Amino acid sequence: MTFPRDFTWGVATSSYQIEGHAMGGGRGASVWDEFCATPGRVNGGHTGAVSCDHYHHYASDVQLMRDLGLRAYRFSVAWSRVMPTGRRPVNAAGLAFYDRLVDSLLEARIEPWLTLFHWDYPLALYREGGWLHPDSPRWFADYTRVIVDKLSDRVRHWMTLNEPQCFIGLGHQTGIHAPGDKLPLDRTLLAAHHTLLAHGLAVQTIRSRAKLPPVIGWAPTGDVPTPATDCPEDIAAARETFWRVPADNTWNMAWWLDPVMRGRYPEQGLHAYGAAAPAFTDAEMRTIHQPIDFIGLNLYRGYDCRRGADGSPENLTSTPGTPATHNHWNLHPAALRWGPFFTHERYGLPVVITENGMAAHDWVSLDGEVHDPQRTDFLARYLMELRRAVRDGVRVKGYFAWSLLDNFEWSEGYRYRFGLVHVDYATQRRTPKDSAWWYGECARTNGASLPAAAPARSLQPAGRA
Ligand code: FCB
């Protein structure tokens, strides 16, 4: 058995990372504009002000996707492009941009997968309190309504929030990302609670107003502990670690997914966070707990885990020389087998890999091409593990490679290139990398072009931590 017949093969981007035209077309500032303008926040003082200038190049970018044989495109809408202050009035020019984008995607027979929020929070709303404000879920729901009313006659696939762990953890607790806050844990978890409410209200809004029957999910993220061997004890140790909520940060899956899927915070998490956990009502938990259609997972990294001698899970460290990407993320393809497996096992909902990919040291060669054999190898290895998840019985519905284009990698600026397509930022010239053609072929053949067997050699020999 290989990938299901209706499997979705796509590529992903996000608004602030590619659009540019940051202060044009009536767009209002987001927290990322301000963060980038603050000296010392972003590598090299880079900003998303121009980036890939996708705002002006969207039509040829869509053509490019079509030429590559890609059938689905996950993009995000910039809230402050559509509502410059985060609230009404609506900026017609901003909304019109997404209208045109969706039309050109459909014309090219590419299915739009729309993410409502990928971190570019309206600055004006942030100044009113942002995600800490008790009205923030309603602000988000009203924005959602504007987008749904405009685009749901053509868009069927919706994602509410991208990686809440990141924009809350990095944005509000450690301050590495915009808005750069360093809140104590209880305030961080209050902001987190409001994002969950925002998710729930947005799902209700989509469900009640969408013109085409909607398919709704969201896109949490995490590093995946994977069993060091296939023996049941190690699998159990990895599972336990995957769902564990740590006491002092927001990097975990259960705190985010249990409220959405089960209508309650996980007991172990409530215990771990103790007095820092937010106050909540039953009605709020019911709002968060809306039926959704799939769980998106943004998965990049992982590590091996086994049952230790004292019975508790033990994480294994990778040995020196383990393959890593340009931004020093260890390769760990098994993340794409076990992340979907554990998630599907716990909640029983279909899973979509909403992001996966790597930064490589890419440049245009003398022959005018971009040769990125490492990315091709990365994608093949990860996809083969995803295929194993399918064989294990996990309902995996799709896979989106991060990213279509090289782009603005948040606090790292333009240092890392994640694209299947190389971008020369000085000329805006796009050059599909070798991996882009390879991935297009994989998509066209529904994965049949992948190597048949699992890799002979383990990628990541592990030693005891
Ligand atoms: C994810 C983000 C995405 C991109 C990739 C590399 O955490 O969702 O915007 O930065 O990492």
Side-chain angles (χ1 to χ4, degrees), residues 17 118-119 162-163 298 300 355 402 409-410 418:
Q17 292 181 277
H118 198 128
W119 306 359
N162 182 73
E163 299 191 358
N298 291 1
Y300 292 88
E355 284 181 27
W402 182 270
E409 179 52 24
W410 308 114
F418 273 91

Side-chain angles (χ1 to χ4, degrees), residues 5-276:
R5 262 199 323 176
D6 57 352
F7 193 83
T8 297
W9 296 89
V11 283
T13 63
S14 88
S15 45
Y16 192 70
Q17 292 181 277
I18 65 163
E19 281 179 4
H21 204 47
M23 287 305 140
R27 176 181 172 281
S30 80
V31 291
W32 271 97
D33 296 288
E34 188 177 67
F35 193 73
C36 292
T38 312
R41 293 298 211 174
V42 175
N43 168 54
H46 300 167
T47 80
V50 177
S51 188
C52 309
D53 198 21
H54 173 74
Y55 186 87
H56 294 112
H57 291 78
Y58 76 92
S60 48
D61 288 340
V62 169
Q63 283 310 309
L64 191 53
M65 278 188 263
R66 202 192 60 170
D67 294 347
L68 291 168
L70 301 171
R71 299 258 67 108
Y73 178 49
R74 174 177 179 237
F75 65 98
S76 77
V77 172
W79 184 347
S80 69
R81 190 179 289 290
V82 172
M83 297 161 99
T85 63
R87 296 198 232 231
R88 292 168 198 262
V90 168
N91 169 33
L95 202 48
F97 168 68
Y98 298 105
D99 201 46
R100 292 195 299 274
L101 174 62
V102 166
D103 278 346
S104 46
L105 287 167
L106 292 174
E107 227 165 87
R109 301 171 64 89
I110 298 170
E111 182 72 15
W113 286 56
L114 188 154
T115 304
L116 287 160
F117 181 69
H118 198 128
W119 306 359
D120 38 4
Y121 194 87
L123 185 60
L125 288 185
Y126 171 69
R127 293 201 169 128
E128 286 185 48
W131 287 119
L132 281 169
H133 198 292
D135 287 343
S136 56
R138 270 184 294 279
W139 298 337
F140 186 67
D142 192 45
Y143 152 66
T144 300
R145 181 175 172 148
V146 169
I147 303 301
V148 169
D149 287 356
K150 183 72 176 178
L151 301 177
S152 67
D153 57 338
R154 286 154 290 158
V155 171
R156 290 192 313 127
H157 291 89
W158 300 87
M159 284 144 291
T160 57
L161 309 176
N162 182 73
E163 299 191 358
Q165 292 95 337
C166 275
F167 70 81
I168 292 299
L170 297 177
H172 293 78
Q173 193 185 20
T174 62
I176 291 168
H177 277 187
D181 285 341
K182 293 186 179 168
L183 300 176
L185 185 62
D186 59 341
R187 304 285 288 162
T188 303
L189 294 175
L190 179 64
H193 186 62
H194 291 150
T195 69
L196 287 169
L197 283 163
H199 160 86
L201 289 180
V203 175
Q204 284 179 342
T205 305
I206 301 167
R207 221 33 109 201
S208 63
R209 303 186 68 86
K211 292 162 193 140
L212 292 178
V215 181
I216 310 175
W218 66 322
T221 188
D223 289 358
V224 183
T226 62
T229 72
D230 274 358
C231 82
E233 293 76 32
D234 289 350
I235 294 175
R239 178 188 292 114
E240 210 176 306
T241 308
F242 190 68
W243 295 116
R244 199 180 146 272
V245 179
D248 57 355
N249 64 66
T250 59
W251 296 102
N252 75 89
M253 285 290 187
W255 189 258
W256 300 96
L257 274 165
D258 272 16
V260 167
M261 299 303 303
R262 295 177 162 175
R264 55 179 187 267
Y265 282 116
E267 278 305 319
Q268 181 270 324
L270 286 167
H271 187 257
Y273 288 146

Side-chain angles (χ1 to χ4, degrees), residues 203-438:
V203 175
Q204 284 179 342
T205 305
I206 301 167
R207 221 33 109 201
S208 63
R209 303 186 68 86
K211 292 162 193 140
L212 292 178
V215 181
I216 310 175
W218 66 322
T221 188
D223 289 358
V224 183
T226 62
T229 72
D230 274 358
C231 82
E233 293 76 32
D234 289 350
I235 294 175
R239 178 188 292 114
E240 210 176 306
T241 308
F242 190 68
W243 295 116
R244 199 180 146 272
V245 179
D248 57 355
N249 64 66
T250 59
W251 296 102
N252 75 89
M253 285 290 187
W255 189 258
W256 300 96
L257 274 165
D258 272 16
V260 167
M261 299 303 303
R262 295 177 162 175
R264 55 179 187 267
Y265 282 116
E267 278 305 319
Q268 181 270 324
L270 286 167
H271 187 257
Y273 288 146
F280 52 85
T281 64
D282 287 350
E284 285 178 340
M285 296 316 283
R286 278 197 298 277
T287 298
I288 295 170
H289 180 40
Q290 297 301 312
I292 58 173
D293 304 293
F294 68 92
I295 298 175
L297 293 173
N298 291 1
L299 302 180
Y300 292 88
R301 305 187 296 186
Y303 51 91
D304 272 333
C305 185
R306 71 176 161 209
R307 181 68 70 199
D310 66 355
S312 49
E314 184 179 80
N315 298 340
L316 304 182
T317 52
S318 48
T319 50
T322 294
T325 65
H326 187 198
N327 61 333
H328 312 290
W329 291 354
N330 278 358
L331 260 67
H332 201 79
L336 247 56
R337 178 184 181 194
W338 292 102
F341 183 88
F342 291 141
T343 305
H344 185 252
E345 174 186 64
R346 187 169 172 108
Y347 304 117
L349 211 65
V351 168
V352 174
I353 302 300
T354 33
E355 284 181 27
N356 171 246
M358 68 168 277
H361 223 121
D362 306 316
W363 65 82
V364 182
S365 293
L366 284 172
D367 63 4
E369 311 276 336
V370 181
H371 305 296
D372 59 342
Q374 277 135 350
R375 184 173 287 103
T376 303
D377 192 66
F378 176 105
L379 294 173
R381 287 179 186 268
Y382 275 70
L383 284 166
M384 287 162 74
E385 291 292 328
L386 188 63
R387 187 175 61 190
R388 290 180 81 171
V390 172
R391 288 180 180 156
D392 292 339
V394 179
R395 283 185 296 157
V396 187
K397 295 285 201 186
Y399 172 92
F400 288 81
W402 182 270
S403 178
L404 171 66
L405 303 169
D406 290 336
N407 61 49
F408 175 78
E409 179 52 24
W410 308 114
S411 55
E412 302 291 353
Y414 296 96
R415 189 194 328 241
Y416 299 126
R417 294 182 177 273
F418 273 91
L420 296 177
V421 174
H422 181 276
V423 177
D424 178 335
Y425 298 109
T427 62
Q428 293 300 344
R429 189 190 165 86
R430 274 68 163 147
T431 310
K433 304 175 189 177
D434 291 350
S435 62
W437 302 110
W438 178 91

